[in-house]
Amino acid sequence: MAYTYTPSDISSRQRMNLSTWSLQICHALEGIIAIFGNTFLVSYIMHVNVDEPISKAIVSIALYYIAVYGVMLLVLPLIDYIVDRTDRVWFYRIGMLLKGSFIVLVIFLGKGLSKYSALAGVLYGLSETFYYAAFNTIKNEVVPKNHISKFVVMQNIFSKLVKTLFPVLLGILIDVTAYKNVAFYVLGVFAVQLTFSFFIKSKRPANSKFEFFGYIKKLAKNDPSLERVKRFYPMALAYGGTTIQTALASLLTIYTFKTNLNLGLFTGLFAFLSVILLLLFKRIKTLKGRGICYIILSVLSVGASVLISFAIKKWTYILFNLILTTSCCILGFALDIQRNTIVKKTGNYDYITEHQAVTECCFNIIRVLSYSLMLVLGMTLNLVGLKILISVVSIAYPLLAWLLYKMEKVEENYPMEKAEAIKETENENK
């Protein structure tokens, strides 16, 4: 009998099983590879160009990320189309295999990586495209909707634990040996991740289809069933502007403190503190309380960004990185909840993959624009351009917080339990 994806398949009676926990573990291990391919890759490019003007490193880093997110923006809808018609888990594994290929490329290029950063970015972008096209669909299908908050919290905790422990370990290893040598250890992580992927089970629904442009047309025509969903996409655009903070923080760490060990220590410490603050934020149950929290994060994020733009010192860097890491963690958590519940709450189960594709496109449009701005300002104004960039992208934090508050205010009137009851009644009447 063909499998059919319905609300009753993910009811409150279901619990997280081996499949969902394996997905959590795989995604946590993905965090280690991401640290290697993002945080420490920025550091590596900085060290390779240590005797050159900082603009050369900025340009190389910007080209890498423009390639990463440009590939994701262009290829993701096509991959989502294929994922929705095939085995999601195998595409998930292909994403892992491409990440493994990226690590091999790093080993092969060595110090030449700085010259070929755009090529490395294309391969990493393809791996991210395959990985997240499958991951976002699998997560929506295998995680019971009444447990999505728990899943996202656990995902954030695992992610931050990885970002607490492994930056320090990788930083020590890179300083003691070399970035190229550490790539072999990361290959081992990839092998473990691939093994756990075989415990993930996600079925393709019999009526599964992917109509990306049809979904875009429905959004443009103000379809009543999608009115609440449409509030999410401006938030996704705003969140895309916060992504560059990871590269900026890494760049500023090496510029200020010089060593990978310091980069690892600060990355790990701030990740740990952000987990503590996220758990405290999770205890806030009222919209008013969350609104106050959003205001505080907005003011602090803009203030810290402006401060470091005037003076790049050790203490301003610490303040900047701590505040923005915490803001990204809390605002990202709140956004992820809305991302993974809004389509289900509005009964648009047939558009899960399309919704995820549009979300990723929103992220990547702004990511490409922000890194293009980094490229232009880095080439023309050197360090001054970097300071201007930090101030400009800080606007994304209050904008995201404001949009989150507006959406949460509306969605308070539509609890998940009510949406599930309505949908199940509709199914019974068919």
Side-chain angles (χ1 to χ4, degrees):
M1 182 178 175
Y3 172 73
T4 304
Y5 180 70
T6 65
S8 59
D9 288 323
I10 50 171
S11 70
S12 59
R13 293 184 293 274
Q14 280 194 325
R15 294 292 180 265
M16 300 222 293
N17 53 26
L18 178 62
S19 188
T20 52
W21 283 112
S22 296
L23 188 65
Q24 284 278 23
I25 292 169
C26 283
H27 199 60
L29 294 173
E30 168 68 15
I32 300 174
I33 301 172
I35 291 167
F36 178 81
N38 289 298
T39 303
F40 285 101
L41 184 134
V42 170
S43 164
Y44 185 60
I45 292 175
M46 287 284 288
H47 278 109
V48 169
N49 294 285
V50 68
D51 296 323
E52 303 287 341
I54 193 173
S55 59
K56 187 168 183 179
I58 293 173
V59 167
S60 184
I61 293 165
L63 286 173
Y64 172 76
Y65 282 109
I66 289 171
V68 170
Y69 297 122
V71 166
M72 291 182 71
L73 177 62
L74 294 174
V75 179
L76 187 72
L78 173 62
I79 300 301
D80 269 324
Y81 175 86
I82 301 171
V83 165
D84 207 56
R85 282 164 169 74
T86 55
D87 189 321
R88 291 93 160 87
V89 183
W90 270 108
F91 268 80
Y92 190 50
R93 293 188 191 113
I94 290 173
M96 296 177 189
L97 290 168
L98 287 172
K99 284 278 175 74
S101 302
F102 166 79
I103 298 166
V104 172
L105 180 67
V106 167
I107 295 170
F108 177 76
L109 290 177
K111 291 187 177 180
L113 179 64
S114 177
K115 296 179 182 178
Y116 299 100
S117 62
L119 173 63
V122 168
L123 183 54
Y124 195 82
L126 281 173
S127 70
E128 289 280 271
T129 303
F130 276 84
Y131 182 91
Y132 281 100
F135 173 78
N136 290 326
T137 299
I138 293 170
K139 183 167 74 169
N140 268 263
E141 289 181 346
V142 306
V143 181
K145 62 174 173 275
N146 284 348
H147 297 288
I148 190 65
S149 179
K150 176 184 176 182
F151 184 92
V152 172
V153 169
M154 293 302 300
Q155 180 181 317
N156 274 274
I157 290 174
F158 283 159
S159 172
K160 296 306 176 184
L161 285 175
V162 165
K163 290 180 180 178
T164 298
L165 300 174
F166 282 91
V168 180
L169 178 60
L170 291 177
I172 293 171
L173 288 172
I174 291 171
D175 279 344
V176 171
T177 58
Y179 185 78
K180 177 180 176 180
N181 294 337
V182 174
F184 288 100
Y185 298 110
V186 180
L187 270 179
V189 173
F190 151 73
V192 175
Q193 182 192 43
L194 190 63
T195 301
F196 271 100
S197 73
F198 285 91
F199 295 101
I200 300 171
K201 307 297 179 184
S202 180
K203 298 178 182 179
R204 175 182 178 269
N207 60 347
S208 179
K209 62 185 184 300
F210 182 74
E211 299 175 346
F212 181 76
F213 293 106
Y215 181 64
I216 296 292
K217 288 179 181 178
K218 289 196 75 170
L219 291 173
K221 290 181 179 178
N222 297 320
D223 188 294
S225 68
L226 294 171
E227 281 301 309
R228 283 160 52 208
V229 179
K230 287 168 62 176
R231 291 191 183 91
F232 175 79
Y233 300 122
M235 286 165 44
L237 290 168
Y239 183 75
T242 69
T243 306
I244 199 171
Q245 185 263 339
T246 300
L248 291 174
S250 301
L251 197 154
L252 289 171
T253 305
I254 298 302
Y255 180 81
T256 309
F257 291 95
K258 311 303 179 186
T259 70
N260 286 293
L261 175 58
N262 282 322
L263 174 58
L265 286 170
F266 284 118
T267 302
L269 175 62
F270 296 150
F272 175 75
L273 291 174
S274 66
V275 168
I276 302 300
L277 293 171
L278 173 61
L279 292 174
L280 292 174
F281 174 79
K282 183 70 169 56
R283 297 175 68 88
I284 301 174
K285 302 299 182 182
T286 65
L287 180 64
K288 182 179 179 181
R290 292 196 300 274
I292 292 171
C293 184
Y294 292 154
I295 292 172
I296 293 171
L297 291 175
S298 300
V299 172
L300 290 177
S301 296
V302 174
S305 298
V306 172
L307 184 62
I308 201 169
S309 298
F310 280 103
I312 300 178
K313 305 289 184 182
K314 290 182 178 180
W315 70 271
T316 58
Y317 158 78
I318 291 172
L319 193 65
F320 168 81
N321 203 355
L322 174 60
I323 291 173
L324 268 71
T325 299
T326 301
S327 295
C328 278
C329 179
I330 292 175
L331 295 176
F333 162 76
L335 176 132
D336 209 24
I337 296 297
Q338 297 300 328
R339 173 181 183 172
N340 290 290
T341 57
I342 188 61
V343 174
K344 296 175 182 179
K345 287 173 72 176
T346 56
N348 289 287
Y349 289 85
D350 291 340
Y351 293 114
I352 285 176
T353 307
E354 289 85 347
H355 166 67
Q356 297 298 340
V358 172
T359 298
E360 290 292 332
C361 286
C362 289
F363 288 165
N364 292 321
I365 287 170
I366 302 302
R367 287 164 176 169
V368 169
L369 290 175
S370 59
Y371 279 104
S372 297
L373 183 61
M374 179 180 180
L375 177 65
V376 172
L377 292 175
M379 289 176 65
T380 56
L381 298 175
N382 211 327
L383 187 60
V384 174
L386 188 67
K387 292 179 177 180
I388 294 172
L389 176 67
I390 291 170
S391 295
V392 170
V393 297
S394 69
I395 298 169
Y397 293 89
L399 180 59
L400 174 57
W402 176 62
L403 292 170
L404 266 170
Y405 180 80
K406 284 183 64 180
M407 185 164 188
E408 288 180 359
K409 188 175 182 180
V410 172
E411 290 306 312
E412 265 199 331
N413 299 318
Y414 301 93
M416 184 67 78
E417 295 78 8
K418 180 179 178 181
E420 181 177 314
I422 291 172
K423 190 65 180 179
E424 288 186 349
T425 300
E426 289 175 354
N427 288 339
E428 290 173 0
N429 292 333
K430 285 182 180 179

